[in-house]
Amino acid sequence: MNKLFFKIFTLTIGFSFLYFPILTLIAYSFNDNKRVMVWKGFSFRWYKELFHNEQILEAFYTSLKIASLSATFATVMGVMIGFSLTRISKIPARPFFIFLSSSPLVMPEIILGLSLLLFFISSNHIIGFPSSKGQLTVLISHITFSVAFVAVIIQSRLSSYDKNIEEAAQDLGTIPNMIFWKVTAPVILPAILSGWLLAFTLSLDDLVVASFTTGPGANTLPIVVFSKVRLGLSPEVNALSAIIMLIVILAAISIYLINRSNIKK
Amino acid sequence: MIKNFKKQNVWFVFTPYLWLVLFFFVPLALIFKISISVSEWGMPPYRDLFSLSENGLEINSTLGNYLFIFSDPFYIRSYLNSLSLAFTSTVLCLLIGYPIAFYVAKSKPSIRNILLIMLIIPFWSSFLLRVYAWKVLLQGSGIINSVLIHIGLITEPISMLHNHYAVILGVVYTYLPFMILPLYGYLVKFDLNLIDASNDLGAKPLNTFVKVILPLSLPGIVAGSMLVFIPVVGEYIIPEMLGGSDKLYFGKIIWDEFFVNRDWPIASALAMSGIVILVFPIIIFQLMYAKYNFRNE
């Protein structure tokens, strides 16, 4: 009995700690007062203002565009890296390739952002590309740090499954190109999907690297939100948090339901 | 291994290879170059490493930027503050996260899946907004102060923001899911019969925990600690939003040196020293840990 009590106690405290701040934020998003923490009455006022805020809407659109493009490019290259490192023996300077594909994982984002910004400025001086900082430079930077995360996921999936399937296909005369598309790709599809999703969220959530590499007309959502809450509070950001939480909760519940119906089958 | 991988498929290897050389390695080499350059007014605000003058080829390289950083306790303290923040919050995340992960993993499968979803939701939701949530809570007029005044513990609102305790709280809160999820991943595979076996053989609960459960969850502990420690070392957002001037951290120093002082060589030298002081130990630890695992298998 004592044990059960301790278990319920721990889980209650733990989950309250995780959810209390988020739920408070959602509750206060309905507060009809410019001063965020002083309750005046229930209203949808800040939701209305949020949906009329051009700056936030545009930033949201920019973020979605960069995140989906970045996730797609990073997934393609992450698969290439994962496949190369586990399946192709002759890679020039292999240890260097491993170093390149894994060290973005441990590199502090502030150093990554600084180095990319200085690189873009220098290459603009020397060859005139990129002509200015903007969505393209943010996209390139996001692809660069996301690739490593996707590559790790793909690599662990590829090294844990039975290579004999590929060898069997080879023995049966399938050409190597076909082996990848017909044998390997279907097996690692779940890893590809979770890699894409991770790269997408990494890009959507990134503030530091984007702040370094952005330029006029390329403000992502975190940049705009940060500029609003850096020095104070913003009731519109409360409303935005509530909407984002709602999207995440709905996504999580649908994944839970899909999983459960798959298990039942 | 695929033996006769076609020659025309080399692009499969070289596309990502070239990308990473161009956008990861070259930028790092560039900040190394700038870190040993001399500052000057202009654009770019540093002198070229090599220049031709009437005296022939001149090399304008200097270790001055590094000497400057390491002779100033201000910079050294910021490295130490970042390391101690990362260490403290990793330990706290482990202490808070372990029991949660353990009990979630030990729950009945039907409850476990719901709890797991509840762990993933904060993990997915925006990092910046979760930090912002604490900024709202800790305000002078915030809910925590109101409750404390209401129950009579304090009479005046106390300022809980803008100090390094608020930073630790914010870091532990935002990074806790990164600790719990890998721990859960290892604990859920754990055979509960081992605990019963250990109890039946007369081991006390503490002994069972230290000798059976802990060693078997070590990979999860290492993975979770890495996921917390590595990003916290360079953390910029949380100290900027919740911290004050009582403790400065590495991430903020680089940011200010670049955006406020516009001193590229110093910012680059700070970044390079950061890689050596903060990142290399992590890489060395990972290599040693991989070797240790390899020997034990």
Side-chain angles (χ1 to χ4, degrees), chain A residues 136-160:
Chain A
L136 182 66
T137 47
V138 177
L139 176 64
I140 290 175
S141 314
H142 281 185
I143 294 172
T144 306
F145 72 73
S146 305
V147 160
F149 287 88
V150 182
V152 168
I153 294 178
I154 303 290
Q155 233 175 301
S156 70
R157 181 77 191 102
L158 275 175
S159 52
S160 68

PDB file of all heavy atoms in Angstrom, chain A residues 136-160:
ATOM      1  N   LEU A 136      16.632  31.915 -47.626  1.00  0.00           N
ATOM      2  CA  LEU A 136      17.540  30.900 -48.164  1.00  0.00           C
ATOM      3  C   LEU A 136      18.641  30.563 -47.160  1.00  0.00           C
ATOM      4  O   LEU A 136      18.946  29.386 -46.937  1.00  0.00           O
ATOM      5  CB  LEU A 136      18.149  31.381 -49.486  1.00  0.00           C
ATOM      6  CG  LEU A 136      19.085  30.377 -50.150  1.00  0.00           C
ATOM      7  CD1 LEU A 136      18.327  29.133 -50.599  1.00  0.00           C
ATOM      8  CD2 LEU A 136      19.827  31.000 -51.331  1.00  0.00           C
ATOM      9  N   THR A 137      19.226  31.589 -46.530  1.00  0.00           N
ATOM     10  CA  THR A 137      20.319  31.317 -45.595  1.00  0.00           C
ATOM     11  C   THR A 137      19.800  30.586 -44.341  1.00  0.00           C
ATOM     12  O   THR A 137      20.478  29.706 -43.816  1.00  0.00           O
ATOM     13  CB  THR A 137      21.035  32.612 -45.196  1.00  0.00           C
ATOM     14  OG1 THR A 137      20.070  33.595 -44.847  1.00  0.00           O
ATOM     15  CG2 THR A 137      21.899  33.139 -46.312  1.00  0.00           C
ATOM     16  N   VAL A 138      18.591  30.934 -43.893  1.00  0.00           N
ATOM     17  CA  VAL A 138      18.022  30.207 -42.746  1.00  0.00           C
ATOM     18  C   VAL A 138      17.791  28.753 -43.138  1.00  0.00           C
ATOM     19  O   VAL A 138      18.115  27.827 -42.385  1.00  0.00           O
ATOM     20  CB  VAL A 138      16.696  30.856 -42.278  1.00  0.00           C
ATOM     21  CG1 VAL A 138      16.084  30.050 -41.140  1.00  0.00           C
ATOM     22  CG2 VAL A 138      16.923  32.281 -41.821  1.00  0.00           C
ATOM     23  N   LEU A 139      17.265  28.560 -44.357  1.00  0.00           N
ATOM     24  CA  LEU A 139      16.989  27.198 -44.829  1.00  0.00           C
ATOM     25  C   LEU A 139      18.276  26.367 -44.864  1.00  0.00           C
ATOM     26  O   LEU A 139      18.326  25.247 -44.346  1.00  0.00           O
ATOM     27  CB  LEU A 139      16.339  27.255 -46.218  1.00  0.00           C
ATOM     28  CG  LEU A 139      16.067  25.915 -46.883  1.00  0.00           C
ATOM     29  CD1 LEU A 139      15.058  25.108 -46.084  1.00  0.00           C
ATOM     30  CD2 LEU A 139      15.564  26.107 -48.312  1.00  0.00           C
ATOM     31  N   ILE A 140      19.331  26.926 -45.462  1.00  0.00           N
ATOM     32  CA  ILE A 140      20.606  26.197 -45.552  1.00  0.00           C
ATOM     33  C   ILE A 140      21.098  25.823 -44.144  1.00  0.00           C
ATOM     34  O   ILE A 140      21.504  24.687 -43.891  1.00  0.00           O
ATOM     35  CB  ILE A 140      21.663  27.057 -46.280  1.00  0.00           C
ATOM     36  CG1 ILE A 140      21.311  27.184 -47.766  1.00  0.00           C
ATOM     37  CG2 ILE A 140      23.053  26.438 -46.133  1.00  0.00           C
ATOM     38  CD1 ILE A 140      22.219  28.118 -48.540  1.00  0.00           C
ATOM     39  N   SER A 141      21.008  26.766 -43.210  1.00  0.00           N
ATOM     40  CA  SER A 141      21.487  26.497 -41.857  1.00  0.00           C
ATOM     41  C   SER A 141      20.663  25.404 -41.179  1.00  0.00           C
ATOM     42  O   SER A 141      21.219  24.521 -40.517  1.00  0.00           O
ATOM     43  CB  SER A 141      21.406  27.761 -41.003  1.00  0.00           C
ATOM     44  OG  SER A 141      21.913  28.852 -41.712  1.00  0.00           O
ATOM     45  N   HIS A 142      19.352  25.463 -41.349  1.00  0.00           N
ATOM     46  CA  HIS A 142      18.506  24.453 -40.719  1.00  0.00           C
ATOM     47  C   HIS A 142      18.768  23.069 -41.292  1.00  0.00           C
ATOM     48  O   HIS A 142      18.811  22.082 -40.560  1.00  0.00           O
ATOM     49  CB  HIS A 142      17.026  24.833 -40.866  1.00  0.00           C
ATOM     50  CG  HIS A 142      16.603  25.872 -39.882  1.00  0.00           C
ATOM     51  ND1 HIS A 142      15.317  26.303 -39.746  1.00  0.00           N
ATOM     52  CD2 HIS A 142      17.319  26.569 -38.961  1.00  0.00           C
ATOM     53  CE1 HIS A 142      15.246  27.221 -38.791  1.00  0.00           C
ATOM     54  NE2 HIS A 142      16.461  27.406 -38.315  1.00  0.00           N
ATOM     55  N   ILE A 143      18.937  23.003 -42.612  1.00  0.00           N
ATOM     56  CA  ILE A 143      19.251  21.702 -43.227  1.00  0.00           C
ATOM     57  C   ILE A 143      20.534  21.169 -42.602  1.00  0.00           C
ATOM     58  O   ILE A 143      20.613  20.000 -42.208  1.00  0.00           O
ATOM     59  CB  ILE A 143      19.420  21.835 -44.753  1.00  0.00           C
ATOM     60  CG1 ILE A 143      18.095  22.219 -45.406  1.00  0.00           C
ATOM     61  CG2 ILE A 143      19.928  20.530 -45.356  1.00  0.00           C
ATOM     62  CD1 ILE A 143      18.204  22.570 -46.887  1.00  0.00           C
ATOM     63  N   THR A 144      21.543  22.050 -42.448  1.00  0.00           N
ATOM     64  CA  THR A 144      22.852  21.602 -41.990  1.00  0.00           C
ATOM     65  C   THR A 144      22.796  20.956 -40.603  1.00  0.00           C
ATOM     66  O   THR A 144      23.385  19.911 -40.378  1.00  0.00           O
ATOM     67  CB  THR A 144      23.842  22.783 -41.986  1.00  0.00           C
ATOM     68  OG1 THR A 144      23.833  23.376 -43.282  1.00  0.00           O
ATOM     69  CG2 THR A 144      25.240  22.330 -41.639  1.00  0.00           C
ATOM     70  N   PHE A 145      22.050  21.581 -39.658  1.00  0.00           N
ATOM     71  CA  PHE A 145      22.061  20.905 -38.350  1.00  0.00           C
ATOM     72  C   PHE A 145      21.044  19.775 -38.241  1.00  0.00           C
ATOM     73  O   PHE A 145      21.196  18.888 -37.413  1.00  0.00           O
ATOM     74  CB  PHE A 145      21.996  21.893 -37.168  1.00  0.00           C
ATOM     75  CG  PHE A 145      20.673  22.576 -36.945  1.00  0.00           C
ATOM     76  CD1 PHE A 145      19.598  21.885 -36.414  1.00  0.00           C
ATOM     77  CD2 PHE A 145      20.521  23.925 -37.223  1.00  0.00           C
ATOM     78  CE1 PHE A 145      18.392  22.521 -36.184  1.00  0.00           C
ATOM     79  CE2 PHE A 145      19.318  24.568 -36.992  1.00  0.00           C
ATOM     80  CZ  PHE A 145      18.249  23.860 -36.477  1.00  0.00           C
ATOM     81  N   SER A 146      20.003  19.790 -39.094  1.00  0.00           N
ATOM     82  CA  SER A 146      19.026  18.703 -39.017  1.00  0.00           C
ATOM     83  C   SER A 146      19.547  17.404 -39.620  1.00  0.00           C
ATOM     84  O   SER A 146      19.164  16.322 -39.179  1.00  0.00           O
ATOM     85  CB  SER A 146      17.742  19.093 -39.750  1.00  0.00           C
ATOM     86  OG  SER A 146      17.244  20.297 -39.259  1.00  0.00           O
ATOM     87  N   VAL A 147      20.418  17.526 -40.645  1.00  0.00           N
ATOM     88  CA  VAL A 147      20.925  16.339 -41.334  1.00  0.00           C
ATOM     89  C   VAL A 147      21.494  15.335 -40.344  1.00  0.00           C
ATOM     90  O   VAL A 147      21.200  14.140 -40.393  1.00  0.00           O
ATOM     91  CB  VAL A 147      22.009  16.740 -42.365  1.00  0.00           C
ATOM     92  CG1 VAL A 147      22.875  15.567 -42.735  1.00  0.00           C
ATOM     93  CG2 VAL A 147      21.364  17.307 -43.607  1.00  0.00           C
ATOM     94  N   ALA A 148      22.270  15.845 -39.382  1.00  0.00           N
ATOM     95  CA  ALA A 148      22.933  14.953 -38.434  1.00  0.00           C
ATOM     96  C   ALA A 148      21.928  14.147 -37.616  1.00  0.00           C
ATOM     97  O   ALA A 148      22.123  12.948 -37.382  1.00  0.00           O
ATOM     98  CB  ALA A 148      23.828  15.765 -37.505  1.00  0.00           C
ATOM     99  N   PHE A 149      20.821  14.812 -37.217  1.00  0.00           N
ATOM    100  CA  PHE A 149      19.820  14.118 -36.402  1.00  0.00           C
ATOM    101  C   PHE A 149      19.128  13.022 -37.213  1.00  0.00           C
ATOM    102  O   PHE A 149      18.922  11.909 -36.730  1.00  0.00           O
ATOM    103  CB  PHE A 149      18.785  15.112 -35.869  1.00  0.00           C
ATOM    104  CG  PHE A 149      19.318  15.997 -34.777  1.00  0.00           C
ATOM    105  CD1 PHE A 149      19.955  17.190 -35.078  1.00  0.00           C
ATOM    106  CD2 PHE A 149      19.206  15.615 -33.450  1.00  0.00           C
ATOM    107  CE1 PHE A 149      20.456  18.008 -34.067  1.00  0.00           C
ATOM    108  CE2 PHE A 149      19.700  16.421 -32.439  1.00  0.00           C
ATOM    109  CZ  PHE A 149      20.328  17.616 -32.750  1.00  0.00           C
ATOM    110  N   VAL A 150      18.773  13.343 -38.468  1.00  0.00           N
ATOM    111  CA  VAL A 150      18.126  12.333 -39.309  1.00  0.00           C
ATOM    112  C   VAL A 150      19.090  11.170 -39.547  1.00  0.00           C
ATOM    113  O   VAL A 150      18.707  10.003 -39.443  1.00  0.00           O
ATOM    114  CB  VAL A 150      17.680  12.935 -40.658  1.00  0.00           C
ATOM    115  CG1 VAL A 150      16.970  11.882 -41.491  1.00  0.00           C
ATOM    116  CG2 VAL A 150      16.775  14.125 -40.442  1.00  0.00           C
ATOM    117  N   ALA A 151      20.369  11.503 -39.834  1.00  0.00           N
ATOM    118  CA  ALA A 151      21.353  10.458 -40.132  1.00  0.00           C
ATOM    119  C   ALA A 151      21.472   9.466 -38.971  1.00  0.00           C
ATOM    120  O   ALA A 151      21.547   8.255 -39.188  1.00  0.00           O
ATOM    121  CB  ALA A 151      22.711  11.083 -40.441  1.00  0.00           C
ATOM    122  N   VAL A 152      21.440   9.968 -37.722  1.00  0.00           N
ATOM    123  CA  VAL A 152      21.553   9.076 -36.563  1.00  0.00           C
ATOM    124  C   VAL A 152      20.386   8.100 -36.507  1.00  0.00           C
ATOM    125  O   VAL A 152      20.563   6.895 -36.305  1.00  0.00           O
ATOM    126  CB  VAL A 152      21.613   9.893 -35.252  1.00  0.00           C
ATOM    127  CG1 VAL A 152      21.446   8.996 -34.052  1.00  0.00           C
ATOM    128  CG2 VAL A 152      22.916  10.641 -35.163  1.00  0.00           C
ATOM    129  N   ILE A 153      19.165   8.635 -36.737  1.00  0.00           N
ATOM    130  CA  ILE A 153      17.971   7.776 -36.686  1.00  0.00           C
ATOM    131  C   ILE A 153      18.055   6.695 -37.764  1.00  0.00           C
ATOM    132  O   ILE A 153      17.844   5.506 -37.505  1.00  0.00           O
ATOM    133  CB  ILE A 153      16.697   8.628 -36.880  1.00  0.00           C
ATOM    134  CG1 ILE A 153      16.528   9.577 -35.690  1.00  0.00           C
ATOM    135  CG2 ILE A 153      15.474   7.745 -37.032  1.00  0.00           C
ATOM    136  CD1 ILE A 153      15.327  10.480 -35.810  1.00  0.00           C
ATOM    137  N   ILE A 154      18.389   7.106 -39.003  1.00  0.00           N
ATOM    138  CA  ILE A 154      18.454   6.157 -40.117  1.00  0.00           C
ATOM    139  C   ILE A 154      19.543   5.113 -39.858  1.00  0.00           C
ATOM    140  O   ILE A 154      19.344   3.910 -40.058  1.00  0.00           O
ATOM    141  CB  ILE A 154      18.758   6.892 -41.447  1.00  0.00           C
ATOM    142  CG1 ILE A 154      17.705   7.961 -41.730  1.00  0.00           C
ATOM    143  CG2 ILE A 154      18.860   5.912 -42.605  1.00  0.00           C
ATOM    144  CD1 ILE A 154      16.351   7.455 -42.083  1.00  0.00           C
ATOM    145  N   GLN A 155      20.697   5.594 -39.368  1.00  0.00           N
ATOM    146  CA  GLN A 155      21.817   4.689 -39.137  1.00  0.00           C
ATOM    147  C   GLN A 155      21.465   3.617 -38.121  1.00  0.00           C
ATOM    148  O   GLN A 155      21.778   2.444 -38.310  1.00  0.00           O
ATOM    149  CB  GLN A 155      22.990   5.499 -38.580  1.00  0.00           C
ATOM    150  CG  GLN A 155      24.264   5.308 -39.345  1.00  0.00           C
ATOM    151  CD  GLN A 155      25.318   6.251 -38.779  1.00  0.00           C
ATOM    152  OE1 GLN A 155      25.125   7.472 -38.771  1.00  0.00           O
ATOM    153  NE2 GLN A 155      26.388   5.703 -38.278  1.00  0.00           N
ATOM    154  N   SER A 156      20.788   4.012 -37.025  1.00  0.00           N
ATOM    155  CA  SER A 156      20.501   3.008 -36.001  1.00  0.00           C
ATOM    156  C   SER A 156      19.478   2.003 -36.523  1.00  0.00           C
ATOM    157  O   SER A 156      19.539   0.821 -36.215  1.00  0.00           O
ATOM    158  CB  SER A 156      20.038   3.666 -34.705  1.00  0.00           C
ATOM    159  OG  SER A 156      18.768   4.208 -34.884  1.00  0.00           O
ATOM    160  N   ARG A 157      18.551   2.479 -37.371  1.00  0.00           N
ATOM    161  CA  ARG A 157      17.579   1.541 -37.952  1.00  0.00           C
ATOM    162  C   ARG A 157      18.274   0.590 -38.928  1.00  0.00           C
ATOM    163  O   ARG A 157      18.015  -0.604 -38.933  1.00  0.00           O
ATOM    164  CB  ARG A 157      16.493   2.338 -38.683  1.00  0.00           C
ATOM    165  CG  ARG A 157      15.406   1.492 -39.308  1.00  0.00           C
ATOM    166  CD  ARG A 157      14.436   0.993 -38.254  1.00  0.00           C
ATOM    167  NE  ARG A 157      13.530  -0.020 -38.793  1.00  0.00           N
ATOM    168  CZ  ARG A 157      13.683  -1.327 -38.585  1.00  0.00           C
ATOM    169  NH1 ARG A 157      14.684  -1.777 -37.876  1.00  0.00           N
ATOM    170  NH2 ARG A 157      12.812  -2.182 -39.084  1.00  0.00           N
ATOM    171  N   LEU A 158      19.196   1.143 -39.737  1.00  0.00           N
ATOM    172  CA  LEU A 158      19.860   0.315 -40.755  1.00  0.00           C
ATOM    173  C   LEU A 158      20.806  -0.695 -40.127  1.00  0.00           C
ATOM    174  O   LEU A 158      20.944  -1.813 -40.632  1.00  0.00           O
ATOM    175  CB  LEU A 158      20.645   1.199 -41.724  1.00  0.00           C
ATOM    176  CG  LEU A 158      19.862   1.783 -42.893  1.00  0.00           C
ATOM    177  CD1 LEU A 158      20.742   2.722 -43.690  1.00  0.00           C
ATOM    178  CD2 LEU A 158      19.324   0.669 -43.784  1.00  0.00           C
ATOM    179  N   SER A 159      21.464  -0.309 -39.010  1.00  0.00           N
ATOM    180  CA  SER A 159      22.431  -1.263 -38.465  1.00  0.00           C
ATOM    181  C   SER A 159      21.739  -2.311 -37.613  1.00  0.00           C
ATOM    182  O   SER A 159      22.341  -3.320 -37.264  1.00  0.00           O
ATOM    183  CB  SER A 159      23.512  -0.527 -37.671  1.00  0.00           C
ATOM    184  OG  SER A 159      22.918   0.313 -36.730  1.00  0.00           O
ATOM    185  N   SER A 160      20.436  -2.094 -37.273  1.00  0.00           N
ATOM    186  CA  SER A 160      19.793  -3.103 -36.427  1.00  0.00           C
ATOM    187  C   SER A 160      18.970  -4.102 -37.238  1.00  0.00           C
ATOM    188  O   SER A 160      18.430  -5.036 -36.688  1.00  0.00           O
ATOM    189  CB  SER A 160      18.905  -2.411 -35.388  1.00  0.00           C
ATOM    190  OG  SER A 160      17.813  -1.812 -36.018  1.00  0.00           O
TER     191      SER A 160
END
